[in-house]
């Protein structure tokens, strides 16, 4: 065979091979790609995992006339709430006639002197233990008809590690409010509550709903609590929703988060007074009810110990009152003007 014939044979062979390969490629690639809407994309459907965003609206109001009532707000035990962050609450009290004072954390005779002139006291936070003299003063205060609201927060809440699932570093320590709450038959749990299924955008933002009828929860459908702790004893008025778990025990139970005993109300979350959380869900309704509770007491001047009593040290106190510039003795306290919104 001549070289020309060989080259012609090779050309024909390559052409035939190209036709065969092309046909095979057409056979494979000729099938149209499946339509996007035909794909089984259930794994990408996140509709069930999108958290429900609670409503953030409303207005903080009160029903009770607070004229002539003196309300002391103490934020010195809190690691997150300050006098500035509770401005809406202070302004609402003032607009309804109350006189608002801030405690700067004075203990012994200083706090007792403050309470002797007050009708209601709000203690926010639990960063340290309350002195025995102050506990005795608060007991005398509530026995005389004064109203107290305690708002707790997890110990070392800002230092929770490992995603928070192991609790705070101080979770094993007794709650600093325990000596006080024991006197009222109450106790706060350690750790914090979380809910992996029913929460407000974070498992540590749990929902709570009313437990029966109570003026404290009137008009409340549900509230959002941030790093709340459970409260034991008293008459429960608010309970965390089903599936809520205690961080220290990993047990899911029905946890009360707001209870009342006599003239004292204990709440498991201090954040609800903070304007960042105040308007979540029905939080502002709950806070308004708490303010009504505070100013609706009937403190008896005859039964209330004087400024030199209340379990403190008569005439020798070293505490202070007001916004950090008040003095001892109860007669020349500084009464700060609530901060403008």
């Amino acid at each position: 065979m001549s070289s020309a014939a060989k080259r012609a044979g090779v050309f024909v062979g390559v052409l035939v091979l190209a036709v065969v390969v092309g046909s095979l490629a057409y056979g494979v690639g000729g099938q149209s790609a499946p339509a996007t809407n035909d794909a089984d994309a259930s794994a990408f459907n996140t509709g069930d995992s999108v958290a429900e965003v609670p409503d953030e609206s409303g207005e903080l109001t009160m029903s009770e006339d607070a004229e002539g009532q003196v309300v002391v707000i103490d934020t010195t035990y809190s690691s997150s709430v300050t006098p500035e962050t509770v401005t809406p609450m202070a302004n609402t009290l003032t607009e309804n006639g109350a006189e608002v004072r801030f405690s700067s954390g004075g203990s012994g005779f200083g706090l007792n002197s403050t309470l002797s002139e007050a009708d209601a006291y709000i203690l926010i936070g639990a960063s340290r233990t309350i002195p025995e003299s102050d506990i005795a003063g608060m007991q005398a205060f509530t026995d005389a008809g004064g109203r107290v609201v305690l708002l707790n927060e997890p110990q070392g809440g800002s230092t929770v590690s490992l995603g928070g699932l192991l609790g705070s570093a101080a979770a094993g320590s007794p709650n600093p409010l325990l000596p006080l709450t024991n006197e009222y038959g109450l106790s706060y749990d350690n750790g914090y509550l979380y809910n992996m299924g029913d929460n407000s955008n974070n498992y540590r933002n749990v929902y709570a709903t009313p437990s029966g009828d109570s003026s404290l929860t009137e008009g409340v459908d549900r509230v959002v609590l941030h790093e709340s702790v459970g409260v034991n004893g008293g008459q429960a008025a608010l309970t965390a929703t089903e599936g809520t778990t205690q961080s220290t025990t990993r047990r899911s139970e029905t946890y009360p988060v707001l209870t009342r005993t006599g003239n004292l109300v204990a709440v498991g979350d201090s954040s609800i007074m903070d304007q960042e959380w105040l308007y979540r869900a029905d939080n502002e309704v709950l806070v308004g009810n708490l303010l009504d509770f505070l100013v609706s007491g009937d403190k008896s001047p005859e039964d209330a110990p004087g400024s030199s009593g209340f379990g403190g040290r008569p005439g020798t106190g070293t505490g202070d009152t007001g916004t950090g510039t008040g003095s001892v003795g109860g007669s020349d306290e500084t009464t700060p003007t609530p901060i403008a919104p």
Side-chain angles (χ1 to χ4, degrees):
M1 182 180 293
S2 65
S3 59
K6 291 180 179 178
R7 288 195 296 270
V10 171
F11 174 78
V12 171
V14 171
L15 180 61
V16 170
L17 179 61
V19 171
V20 171
V21 172
S23 299
L24 291 175
Y26 178 80
V28 173
Q31 298 178 1
S32 59
T36 303
N37 57 3
D38 291 338
D40 183 5
S42 58
F44 302 98
N45 186 355
T46 58
D48 294 336
S49 62
V50 175
E52 179 185 356
V53 179
D55 183 36
E56 291 191 46
S57 60
E59 181 180 0
L60 179 59
T61 60
M62 294 176 58
S63 300
E64 295 288 338
D65 180 7
E67 189 68 35
Q69 296 283 305
V70 177
V71 180
V72 176
I73 302 174
D74 190 345
T75 62
T76 59
Y77 286 84
S78 175
S79 60
S80 59
V81 180
T82 67
E84 288 73 22
T85 57
V86 299
T87 295
M89 176 179 67
N91 285 347
T92 300
L93 284 166
T94 303
E95 291 167 0
N96 283 272
E99 179 181 348
V100 176
R101 302 178 180 179
F102 288 92
S103 171
S104 62
S107 61
F109 182 65
L111 177 61
N112 296 338
S113 175
T114 300
L115 294 180
S116 71
E117 299 182 352
D119 298 286
Y121 177 62
I122 306 172
L123 176 62
I124 303 174
S127 61
R128 63 180 188 276
T129 302
I130 297 177
E132 290 185 4
S133 58
D134 288 353
I135 294 174
M138 276 190 262
Q139 283 186 281
F141 179 70
T142 53
D143 287 346
R147 293 288 177 89
V148 172
V149 170
L150 304 178
L151 296 111
N152 200 357
E153 58 190 17
Q155 301 171 63
S158 60
T159 61
V160 174
S161 60
L162 298 179
L165 290 176
L166 298 183
S168 66
S173 303
N175 192 294
L177 293 182
L178 188 59
L180 171 63
T181 55
N182 270 349
E183 299 296 333
Y184 292 89
L186 304 175
S187 66
Y188 281 107
D189 290 330
N190 288 334
Y192 62 92
L193 301 177
Y194 67 88
N195 193 316
M196 302 297 289
D198 184 22
N199 58 60
S200 176
N201 290 330
N202 188 294
Y203 67 97
R204 289 156 72 172
N205 302 336
V206 303
Y207 288 113
T209 56
S211 307
D213 295 330
S214 170
S215 59
L216 294 169
T217 56
E218 184 177 358
V220 173
D221 180 27
R222 67 174 181 174
V223 299
V224 177
L225 304 176
H226 173 63
E227 295 183 347
S228 180
V229 294
V231 191
N232 306 297
Q235 183 175 1
L238 200 66
T239 305
T241 55
E242 185 177 354
T244 300
T245 304
Q246 170 74 25
S247 66
T248 53
T249 63
R250 307 291 182 85
R251 298 183 63 179
S252 296
E253 294 182 359
T254 301
Y255 292 98
V257 290
L258 188 154
T259 67
R260 176 182 178 179
T261 174
N263 287 323
L264 183 141
V265 169
V267 187
D269 177 31
S270 63
S271 302
I272 59 171
M273 295 291 186
D274 189 322
Q275 55 188 337
E276 177 183 356
W277 297 92
L278 179 60
Y279 302 105
R280 305 281 181 97
D282 295 326
N283 286 12
E284 79 281 358
V285 180
L286 175 65
V287 172
N289 293 342
L290 289 173
L291 298 184
D292 287 335
F293 165 79
L294 284 166
V295 303
S296 60
D298 186 21
K299 182 183 174 186
S300 171
E302 293 77 16
D303 297 333
S307 61
S308 61
F310 261 161
R313 296 164 293 172
T316 59
T318 55
D320 53 359
T321 57
T323 54
T325 57
S327 60
V328 178
S331 60
D332 55 351
E333 294 178 330
T334 298
T335 304
T337 301
I339 304 165

